[in-house]
Every structure is written in structure tokens, then in C-alpha cells.
Amino acid sequence: MRQIEYEIINTVEKLFADKKIDIFIGYKKGTLSLQTSPYFLSEQDDVRKLVWNSFCSNNLAVFIPRIIPNSKSKESKPVGILCKGCDSRSLVGLIKEKQINRDNLFIIGISCPGIVDRRKILSRLDGKEIIGIDEDADSIVVKLKDGEKRFEKEEYLCESCLNCAHPTPSIYDVLIRGAVYSLQAITPDPITKDFSSKPREERWKIFETEVSKCIRCYACRDACPNCYCKECFAEQTKPQWLGVSKGLSEVIFYHIVRILHQAGRCVDCGACVRACPMDINLRLFTRVMVDEVKERFGYEPGISLKDTPPLATFSADDKQEFMTEPE
Amino acid sequence: MLKEKRNLMLYKQDFEKFFRLLSETFTIFGPSKTDGSRSFTKIDASDEIAFDYENTKMSLKEFFFPQTETLFFFDTEKNEVKQTDVETNKHDKQNILFGVRPCDAMSISFLDKVFNANNPQDLYYTRRRKSTRIVSFACTNPASTCFCTSVGCGPDSETGADIIFFELNGRYFIKTVTPEGEKTIKSAEKLLNPATKNDIEEKVHLMKTANSNLKKIFDSGNLQKKLDNFNAPYWGKLHRKCLGCGICTYLCPTCHCFDITDEVIKSNGRRIRTWDSCMFSLFTLHASGHNPRPTQKERMRQRIMHKFNYAPKYYGKTFCVGCGRCVIYCPVNMDIRDVMKEIMEER
Ligand code: SF4
Ligand code: SF4
Ligand code: SF4
Ligand code: SF4
Ligand code: SF4
């Protein structure tokens, strides 16, 4: 970990020194244990504050459409960004959807060993206060007032990391090779496969129970690089698609549309799940979409800049047995 | 006003009886074990209360100022308006909010300034407020994210509470703070004994330890002056990692912004009030398309300024009680304590 951190720091330092970039987005130490925080730095900031560890959980691609207007001219310097596998897949999506220009990015790719789910660890601490964290290749050691607890990373990774097929970035300008997460990725995902195999009523019940906890803070949307719309349907007033209350039907409507808008686009980074303050298992539903798209159209978003997204194309032999005549 | 606040003692083994006596006259709400202290819920038996919780995820404000509230119904054909019953009135009893953290109790005293002022007075809020007693619980084991002592609150703050409980060894030290508080415990008077000198000493000692566990991070008084500079350079930087979600304001016990919407289906309509947040891009968007707070920079500034500069000017209080919710739940770890430190350090 340390070694990789040095490599990142040196690379970024050189990028600034060579005047290749004016701004870099990475991670710095968080104010809470088990967390890091996105770090925007320019040349005068302290590059040694950059960190790389198992808690670099934000998908940094989310900031790109916010800070680079898509009209940005070629002459201005690219924005530097640190990308895990999933962050780079999001960038591929943004480039294909013409939100940004590849030339306006300088990507430091990093092969990713997986992000540790801080909530999984917190749930094992009985509310005890953490006074320190140590991390080695395989485990996280949490220091408490009355001793310490060791957590094997493999058991405490985020759900999306547990089944990540592409931990190494799909696009980059420089690649830093670290340990790559080594478990075998499976499609469809075992958790969502289990969900999909349930009868319709039961699935609906699960969906309803999960989303009924929603407070409509929209953090799931705001943390997702795919949600760059200037005006989100959820807040549109002309026409108004859904009411503004916290009622169940509004919440359900919001979630169904958000999930459907991710079809063929969601890279299963898990940023939405980690952002949700209500611990709603949003991945259960977006991952179903990911698996369906892969199965029906053989498409995985974010892997290549060339292939056409399923929603942007038509083929005569597209599967369509799920289309039903109105009864 | 209450002539004298009373200090009373209750043995823990009598708590169950105490609870039952109170629930004859009141409906009791508290942090419950069943929903993992997500919010204040109705408590039917004393053992459902989660005493050791740090802070509920949702703050107390939703009890008085719910996220969605129907103000009235109307009929556009008949040209009629029908006032709704304020929701809490469906319980015919009065309410007790039991086990409130002192920071949340204080936050209600701030919301009172906004909604329960003389002119205008918010009918919906005030009715709920009038029918509810607040019984707070002093914090003996503050979380690492708590910073109440930096903003004029504290683990034993009484502001906003009618009664405050302190957990001593095997017994509760109960202090009545308001005349309403006195009335609240009347029915359980026979279980209570006056506190002795020893009891008081034990309580003082307990709170000393709790207070010493809370570091004072900044001085909110100086901060207000510092923030008078609306165009300070730090505003250009602080907001950059902010996603503009509403978590920090929706979970904040003192944030009170709302929006009003008419929902009409055919001729039946209702006017509803819903929470809003200055962190949303739509918050100040005008019908013309102009937005006076066009980027997250202005929105972040609004949030900080409202709490630490405008509110002290208008209400004499910093509108932050240091509960730490925004610190814990912000998806990008925007730590308001850090923001404050950064602002204070700026020359
Ligand atoms: S929907 Fe969630 S998992 Fe999918 S790309 Fe967006 S943030 Fe990532
Ligand atoms: S982040 Fe969670 S609570 Fe917020 S809108 Fe999304 S699902 Fe709802
Ligand atoms: S919770 Fe964090 S990311 Fe969301 S609006 Fe507040 S400061 Fe910004
Ligand atoms: S600003 Fe943050 S710490 Fe202060 S009262 Fe609101 S949620 Fe609590
Ligand atoms: S303006 Fe912002 S900070 Fe102030 S009360 Fe409203 S939501 Fe909270």
C-alpha cells in the first residue's frame, strides 16, 4: 500500500512539475476512521497528503462533468484524476455519452484490490469507538480502547467489489500496478441471481421495503457519475413526473426511473450504495440490470470506448421475449 | 416560571413502573431498539428503549416538522378549502419524547424561534410542540463526532428540555427543568426521592468526565465575526468535493427550510409542505431560469453562513448544536469541524 502511495505521489508531483496538469483529483485521509475524502489539489497544495488505501471509496469520475465543461477547448490542460477500475469505467461512459473529451483527462489508473465496506466493519464493533486503524495486504486492524480487532479484507469488501470483473482500469495514461483483487467474478451476481429467482410478488415486496426507507436526499443520484443531467426528472416541473412528498408511490417512482436510467450504463461501482444514509441496498436492483444487459445484449459498460451501448443501437435479433402484449 | 428546579432520584428497578405510570397520561416516543435508533418511534414498554444509542439517524425535528405535511385540501370546482387536522392530534394523549440527547433538545429551542415565534406563528408546528414534553438524557459517553461544547451546547445542556435524566450507578438522577416537566412526573411522584448531597456529587463528577471527553474545536463567537467576509477566498475551494446532496441538511436537527407545493388531481388538490435544502441546485432557481446561487460554492457558503453568521445575528444563536450527523453521513466526508477550522485559520 505504502509503495503504491509513493508511486502515486511521485507521478502527480511530476505531472505538476512538467506542467501537464493544473488540477488533480485523488484521495486524502478522512477525518473519520475507515474513511477517506476526495482531494482536489493544485500545484501549491501538499501532494504528500494524497493517500491510497482500502477506504478510497468515492467514485471520483463524478466530479469530472462538474468541473470540465464539454465545450472545453483542446488548448487547456487536462484534469488529472486517480482511477480505480470502476472510476475508469465511469469515465468511459462519460466519454461515450459525449459529456467529456478523452483529451481533457490525464488518468492515473490503479489496479484495485477492492474497497473495504466500512459499514460491515462498523456493524461488528458494537458501537465501540475506534482509536486507530492499521492496514496490511490482507487485513484491517481496528484499534479500540480495550484491545484490537482484525478483519480479513476479503470478507469485508463492498458487495460490488466482491464481484468485480475488471479491477484494472480500462483506460489510463499511466498505470500503477498494485495487488489486484483476486476472487473470481461471476455473472450473474449470486446475490442478484437469488433475488431474480424469487416470485414477482416477493421481489416487489423486497423492493418496496428497501425503498420505503428513502428520504429523497438524492445522494445516490449525486454520487453517481452517470447522473449528470442538468435537470433530473425527479425535480422537473414541466412536465412534473412525480410528486414532491415522501410518500411510498413517489419514492418507488423515483427509484424505478433512476434504476432504469442506468440500464446499460451502470458500472456497478457501488458509489450510490455507499452514499445512501439510509443503508438502502440499491445495488440489488442496479446489479440486476447489469446482469440482464450482459445476458441479453452481451454488453458490459465501461470496458471499451468503441462498442455501441445497447440503448443506442438496434439489431433484428435483439432478444425481446420479455415484451408482452397488453392483456 | 418554576420557582425551584427539583433534583430527584429514581431507582433503576423502579423505572418500569415509572414508565407505566407516565404512559397512562402520555404517549411515549423514544429511540427504539426495534428500528436500530433510526428515529423517535412509539414505545410501548420500557425495555424497548435503546438507552445506549449515540444519536438517532433522523433528528428530532421530523417529529414537529415532518418531511411531508399536508397543510390543507382544496376543491377547485367547488372552490372549497378544508383544513386538515394536525397529525399528532390523532393521539388523544399528550406526548413525551423520552431519551432525547441534549443537542437535539437544544435544536428544538432553535426551531421554536423559527416556527413558534409571535408573528408569524406556525400552527402545525406549534400544536405539536404544545402537546409534547421533552425528557432528555445527559450524554455520559459522547461519540467522537460530537462537538456540542464548541457551539454553546453540551452533554448536560438543559435548553429545550422539560426534564433531564442523568444515569448514575443503579439509579437515575432526574432534574425538572420547566413547570411542564414538574407536571409530567406528577403521577410517578411516589417513586421519586429528593437527591442527596452524595447523589449530586456523583452527578457532577460524571458530567465532568463527559465534558472532558469533548474537545473544544473552535469558538463559535469568533467564527461569526470571521464569516462577515462574504467574499473570503476560501469559499472558492471548500465546496469542490461537495456532491450537492441533501444529507447534511435533511439529517440536521436545526435545518428548517421547506418548499410548498400544490398537488392537484382533477379537481382535488392538497397543499403540502416538504423539506428543502440550500444544498440543492433548485433551491433558489427562479422561474425566469436565473439562479442567484448558480454553483455549489454559493450553496455551501449559504449553509455555513446561515448556521454560523446569519442565525447568530437574527436569533442570537449558532444554528448548529454539534450533533455530528452531517459529519457521520456526508458521502464525501465533508467535516463541518474541518471547514470551521479552515475558516478560522484563514487570515
Ligand atoms: S448506479 Fe450506483 S453502482 Fe451504478 S454506476 Fe451509478 S453509482 Fe455506480
Ligand atoms: S441516497 Fe438513499 S435515502 Fe437518499 S435518495 Fe438515494 S436511496 Fe433515498
Ligand atoms: S452531505 Fe456532504 S456531499 Fe452532501 S451536500 Fe452535504 S456536504 Fe455536500
Ligand atoms: S450542522 Fe451538523 S453537527 Fe451541526 S447541528 Fe446540523 S447536523 Fe448537527
Ligand atoms: S438555508 Fe440551508 S443551512 Fe439554512 S436552514 Fe435551510 S437548509 Fe439549513
Side-chain angles (χ1 to χ4, degrees), chain B residues 147 248 251-254 303 307 320-326 336:
Chain B
F147 59 100
C248 52
L251 300 194
C252 176
T254 72
R303 173 171 167 245
K307 291 182 175 305
C320 167
V321 291
C323 71
R325 287 183 178 91
C326 59
I336 199 163

Side-chain angles (χ1 to χ4, degrees), chain A residues 224 226 258 262 266-272 286:
Chain A
C224 175
N226 284 340
R258 189 191 79 91
Q262 297 290 352
C266 173
V267 298
D268 198 17
C269 65
C272 50
T286 42

Side-chain angles (χ1 to χ4, degrees), chain A residues 54-225:
Chain A
S54 287
F55 302 102
C56 293
S57 66
N58 292 96
N59 185 334
L60 298 179
V62 74
F63 297 111
I64 294 295
R66 295 171 193 225
I67 62 172
I68 312 182
N70 52 1
S71 56
K72 188 165 170 168
S73 71
K74 284 226 165 121
E75 293 87 70
S76 46
K77 282 185 205 164
V79 169
I81 181 171
L82 185 69
C83 278
K84 308 183 288 289
C86 50
D87 305 37
S88 82
R89 297 202 293 282
S90 293
L91 288 179
V92 168
L94 289 169
I95 295 166
K96 278 161 101 166
E97 292 177 11
K98 306 244 182 309
Q99 294 307 305
I100 42 165
N101 223 319
R102 174 68 182 91
D103 304 334
N104 290 334
L105 298 168
F106 191 100
I107 304 170
I108 301 187
I110 181 152
S111 39
C112 175
I115 297 303
V116 169
D117 188 337
R118 93 189 131 94
R119 289 179 190 155
K120 284 190 189 167
I121 293 194
L122 287 174
S123 71
R124 294 298 171 88
L125 297 177
D126 310 320
K128 282 192 192 146
E129 199 186 317
I130 303 174
I131 44 183
I133 299 287
D134 255 344
E135 175 172 359
D136 56 34
D138 302 317
S139 51
I140 305 285
V141 179
V142 176
K143 294 183 193 139
L144 304 164
K145 275 185 190 141
D146 56 352
E148 49 180 50
K149 264 190 157 170
R150 180 175 287 272
F151 296 94
E152 293 310 316
K153 281 186 199 170
E154 223 169 82
E155 288 163 39
Y156 288 89
L157 291 181
C158 295
E159 292 301 322
S160 47
C161 301
L162 275 172
N163 198 9
C164 174
H166 309 280
T168 300
S170 43
I171 52 168
Y172 51 80
D173 295 290
V174 176
L175 179 68
I176 296 176
R177 279 180 202 282
V180 176
Y181 171 64
S182 58
L183 287 187
Q184 194 65 48
I186 318 164
T187 309
D189 189 274
I191 293 179
T192 51
K193 192 176 170 197
D194 173 60
F195 174 76
S196 305
S197 68
K198 292 185 197 307
R200 194 195 334 199
E201 295 71 29
E202 212 175 302
R203 276 180 291 160
W204 182 254
K205 189 91 215 120
I206 295 174
F207 177 67
E208 219 179 59
T209 315
E210 277 299 315
V211 302
S212 68
K213 299 184 266 180
C214 177
I215 58 167
R216 292 184 75 175
C217 66
Y218 299 135
C220 47
R221 174 195 71 187
D222 296 328
C224 175

Side-chain angles (χ1 to χ4, degrees), chain A residues 23 30-32 35-38 40 45 58 62-63 66 118 127 129 213 215-217 219 222-223 235 243-246 275 277-279, chain B residues 38 54 57-58 67-68 144-145 237 240-247 250-251 261 263 270 272 274 280 282 327 331-333 335 337-338:
Chain A
I23 185 162
T31 61
L32 305 179
Q35 275 191 48
T36 60
S37 188
F40 286 67
D45 295 312
N58 292 96
V62 74
F63 297 111
R66 295 171 193 225
R118 93 189 131 94
E129 199 186 317
K213 299 184 266 180
I215 58 167
R216 292 184 75 175
C217 66
D222 296 328
E235 288 160 328
V244 293
S245 79
K246 209 182 74 166
M278 295 295 141
D279 296 338
Chain B
R38 180 189 174 279
E54 283 176 348
K57 189 176 276 183
M58 300 303 287
Q67 182 164 0
T68 307
S144 61
T145 43
K237 277 181 145 189
R240 287 188 298 189
K241 64 180 172 185
C242 172
L243 298 172
C245 69
I247 295 179
Y250 276 14
L251 300 194
T261 318
E263 283 187 348
R270 61 168 186 157
I272 52 174
T274 47
F280 290 154
L282 253 67
V327 178
V332 295
N333 186 226
D335 189 323
R337 300 169 299 180
D338 252 28

Side-chain angles (χ1 to χ4, degrees), chain B residues 27 29 42 63 66 68-69 84-95 127-128 131:
Chain B
T27 311
F29 294 82
K42 192 163 169 289
F63 195 86
T68 307
E69 171 158 53
T84 56
D85 280 336
V86 179
E87 232 177 83
T88 7
N89 288 358
K90 71 180 175 233
H91 311 291
D92 41 8
K93 292 188 202 166
Q94 302 234 308
N95 308 315
R127 278 214 207 141
R128 287 200 189 89
S131 63

Side-chain angles (χ1 to χ4, degrees), chain B residues 45 49 58 72 102 108 116 142 152 173 181 184 193 198 227 267 275 298 301 315 321 325 339:
Chain B
I49 306 174
M58 300 303 287
F72 52 79
I108 299 304
N116 195 6
F173 184 108
T184 308
N193 301 306
N198 276 351
L227 286 172
S267 69
W275 288 354
E298 294 83 10
R301 176 168 61 195
Y315 300 114
V321 291
R325 287 183 178 91
V339 173

Side-chain angles (χ1 to χ4, degrees), chain B residues 270-322:
Chain B
R270 61 168 186 157
R271 178 158 298 176
I272 52 174
R273 165 159 81 185
T274 47
W275 288 354
D276 204 346
S277 164
C278 59
M279 300 308 259
F280 290 154
S281 57
L282 253 67
F283 189 69
T284 47
L285 182 66
H286 295 180
S288 67
H290 172 67
N291 194 339
R293 293 191 198 128
T295 70
Q296 212 56 29
K297 169 184 162 184
E298 294 83 10
R299 297 168 203 146
M300 187 76 194
R301 176 168 61 195
Q302 165 62 18
R303 173 171 167 245
I304 302 294
M305 290 291 255
H306 188 198
K307 291 182 175 305
F308 297 94
N309 184 279
Y310 311 149
K313 280 183 188 154
Y314 297 126
Y315 300 114
K317 295 284 176 198
T318 297
F319 265 37
C320 167
V321 291

